[in-house]
Coordinates of all heavy atoms in Angstrom, one line a residue:
Chain C
F229 N 12.2 27.9 66.5 CA 13.4 27.7 67.3 C 14.1 29.1 67.6 O 14.3 29.5 68.7 CB 14.3 26.8 66.6 CG 15.4 26.2 67.4 CD1 15.3 24.9 67.8 CD2 16.6 26.9 67.6 CE1 16.4 24.3 68.6 CE2 17.6 26.4 68.4 CZ 17.5 25.1 68.8
F230 N 14.4 29.7 66.5 CA 15.1 31.0 66.6 C 14.2 32.1 67.1 O 14.6 33.1 67.8 CB 15.8 31.4 65.4 CG 16.9 30.5 65.1 CD1 16.9 29.6 64.1 CD2 18.1 30.5 65.8 CE1 18.0 28.8 63.8 CE2 19.2 29.8 65.6 CZ 19.1 28.8 64.6
W231 N 12.9 32.0 66.7 CA 11.9 33.0 67.1 C 11.9 33.0 68.6 O 11.8 34.1 69.2 CB 10.6 32.4 66.7 CG 9.3 33.1 66.8 CD1 8.5 33.0 67.9 CD2 8.7 34.0 66.0 NE1 7.5 33.8 67.8 CE2 7.6 34.4 66.6 CE3 9.0 34.5 64.7 CZ2 6.7 35.3 66.0 CZ3 8.1 35.5 64.2 CH2 6.9 35.8 64.8
E232 N 11.9 31.9 69.3 CA 11.9 31.9 70.8 C 13.2 32.4 71.3 O 13.2 33.1 72.4 CB 11.6 30.4 71.2 CG 10.3 29.9 71.0 CD 9.4 30.3 72.0 OE1 9.3 29.8 73.1 OE2 8.6 31.3 71.8
L233 N 14.3 32.1 70.6 CA 15.6 32.5 71.2 C 15.7 34.0 71.1 O 16.2 34.7 72.0 CB 16.8 31.9 70.3 CG 17.2 30.4 70.8 CD1 18.4 30.1 69.8 CD2 17.7 30.5 72.1
V234 N 15.1 34.6 70.1 CA 15.1 36.0 70.0 C 14.4 36.6 71.1 O 14.8 37.6 71.7 CB 14.5 36.4 68.6 CG1 14.3 37.8 68.5 CG2 15.3 36.0 67.5
G235 N 13.3 36.0 71.4 CA 12.4 36.4 72.5 C 13.2 36.3 73.8 O 13.1 37.2 74.7
F236 N 13.9 35.3 74.0 CA 14.8 35.1 75.2 C 15.8 36.3 75.3 O 16.0 36.8 76.3 CB 15.5 33.8 75.1 CG 16.5 33.5 76.1 CD1 16.1 33.4 77.5 CD2 17.8 33.3 75.8 CE1 17.1 33.2 78.5 CE2 18.8 33.1 76.9 CZ 18.4 33.0 78.1
C237 N 16.5 36.6 74.1 CA 17.5 37.6 74.2 C 16.7 38.9 74.6 O 17.3 39.7 75.4 CB 18.1 37.8 72.8 SG 19.0 36.4 72.4
S238 N 15.6 39.2 74.0 CA 14.9 40.3 74.3 C 14.6 40.4 75.8 O 14.7 41.4 76.4 CB 13.6 40.4 73.4 OG 12.5 41.1 74.1
Y239 N 14.2 39.2 76.4 CA 13.9 39.2 77.8 C 15.2 39.6 78.6 O 15.1 40.5 79.5 CB 13.5 37.8 78.2 CG 13.4 37.5 79.6 CD1 12.2 37.7 80.3 CD2 14.5 36.9 80.3 CE1 12.0 37.5 81.6 CE2 14.3 36.6 81.7 CZ 13.1 36.9 82.3 OH 13.0 36.8 83.7
L240 N 16.3 39.1 78.2 CA 17.5 39.4 78.9 C 17.9 40.8 78.8 O 18.3 41.5 79.7 CB 18.7 38.6 78.3 CG 18.7 37.1 78.6 CD1 20.0 36.4 77.9 CD2 18.9 36.8 80.1
L241 N 17.6 41.4 77.6 CA 18.1 42.8 77.4 C 17.1 43.8 77.9 O 17.5 44.8 78.5 CB 18.3 43.0 75.9 CG 19.5 42.3 75.4 CD1 19.7 42.3 74.0 CD2 20.8 43.2 75.9
I242 N 15.8 43.5 77.9 CA 14.8 44.4 78.6 C 15.1 44.5 80.1 O 15.1 45.5 80.7 CB 13.4 43.9 78.4 CG1 13.0 44.0 76.9 CG2 12.4 44.8 79.1 CD1 11.7 43.4 76.5
G243 N 15.3 43.3 80.7 CA 15.6 43.2 82.0 C 17.1 43.4 82.4 O 17.5 42.9 83.4
F244 N 17.7 44.0 81.5 CA 19.2 44.1 81.7 C 19.6 44.7 83.0 O 20.5 44.3 83.8 CB 19.9 44.8 80.5 CG 21.4 44.8 80.7 CD1 22.2 43.7 80.4 CD2 22.1 46.0 81.0 CE1 23.5 43.7 80.6 CE2 23.5 46.0 81.2 CZ 24.3 44.8 80.9
W245 N 18.9 45.8 83.3 CA 19.1 46.5 84.6 C 18.2 45.9 85.5 O 17.2 46.6 85.9 CB 19.0 48.0 84.4 CG 20.1 48.6 83.7 CD1 21.4 48.4 83.9 CD2 20.0 49.6 82.6 NE1 22.1 49.1 83.0 CE2 21.3 49.8 82.2 CE3 19.0 50.2 82.0 CZ2 21.6 50.7 81.2 CZ3 19.3 51.1 81.0 CH2 20.5 51.3 80.5
F246 N 18.5 44.7 86.0 CA 17.5 44.0 86.7 C 17.2 44.4 88.2 O 16.3 44.1 88.8 CB 17.8 42.5 86.8 CG 19.1 42.1 87.4 CD1 19.2 42.1 88.8 CD2 20.2 41.7 86.6 CE1 20.5 41.8 89.4 CE2 21.3 41.5 87.2 CZ 21.5 41.5 88.6
E247 N 18.2 45.3 88.6 CA 17.9 45.9 89.9 C 16.6 46.8 89.9 O 16.0 47.1 90.9 CB 19.1 46.7 90.4 CG 20.3 45.9 90.7 CD 21.2 45.7 89.5 OE1 20.8 46.0 88.5 OE2 22.4 45.2 89.7
K248 N 16.4 47.4 88.7 CA 15.2 48.2 88.6 C 14.0 47.3 88.6 O 13.8 46.5 87.6 CB 15.3 49.0 87.3 CG 15.3 50.5 87.6 CD 15.7 51.3 86.3 CE 14.9 51.1 85.1 NZ 15.4 51.8 84.0
Q249 N 13.0 47.5 89.4 CA 11.9 46.7 89.5 C 11.1 46.8 88.2 O 10.6 45.8 87.7 CB 11.0 47.1 90.7 CG 9.9 46.1 91.1 CD 10.4 44.7 91.3 OE1 11.4 44.5 92.0 NE2 9.8 43.7 90.8
S250 N 11.0 48.0 87.7 CA 10.1 48.2 86.5 C 10.8 47.5 85.3 O 10.1 46.9 84.5 CB 10.0 49.7 86.2 OG 11.3 50.3 86.1
A251 N 12.1 47.4 85.2 CA 12.8 46.6 84.1 C 12.4 45.2 84.2 O 12.0 44.6 83.2 CB 14.2 46.9 84.2
T252 N 12.5 44.6 85.4 CA 12.2 43.2 85.5 C 10.7 42.9 85.2 O 10.3 41.9 84.7 CB 12.5 42.6 86.8 OG1 11.7 43.0 87.8 CG2 13.9 42.9 87.2
N253 N 9.8 43.8 85.7 CA 8.5 43.7 85.4 C 8.3 43.6 83.9 O 7.5 42.9 83.3 CB 7.6 44.8 85.9 CG 7.4 44.7 87.5 OD1 7.7 43.6 88.0 ND2 7.0 45.6 88.1
A254 N 8.9 44.6 83.2 CA 8.7 44.7 81.8 C 9.2 43.5 81.0 O 8.6 43.0 80.1 CB 9.4 46.0 81.2
S255 N 10.3 42.9 81.5 CA 10.9 41.9 80.8 C 10.0 40.6 81.0 O 9.7 39.8 80.0 CB 12.3 41.6 81.2 OG 12.3 41.1 82.6
L256 N 9.5 40.5 82.2 CA 8.5 39.4 82.5 C 7.2 39.5 81.5 O 6.8 38.6 80.9 CB 8.1 39.4 83.9 CG 7.2 38.3 84.4 CD1 7.8 37.0 84.3 CD2 6.6 38.6 85.7
K257 N 6.8 40.7 81.6 CA 5.6 41.0 80.7 C 5.9 40.7 79.2 O 5.0 40.0 78.6 CB 5.1 42.4 81.0 CG 3.8 42.7 80.2 CD 3.5 44.1 80.1 CE 2.8 44.6 81.3 NZ 2.5 46.1 81.2
A258 N 7.0 41.2 78.8 CA 7.3 41.0 77.4 C 7.4 39.5 77.1 O 6.8 39.0 76.1 CB 8.7 41.5 77.0

Side-chain angles (χ1 to χ4, degrees):
Chain C
F229 193 104
F230 289 110
W231 181 273
E232 291 277 284
L233 276 183
V234 171
F236 172 63
C237 299
S238 154
Y239 174 83
L240 287 179
L241 285 165
I242 295 171
F244 183 73
W245 289 313
F246 59 75
E247 291 91 347
K248 238 168 59 182
Q249 192 60 40
S250 54
T252 72
N253 286 347
S255 64
L256 180 68
K257 186 195 270 179

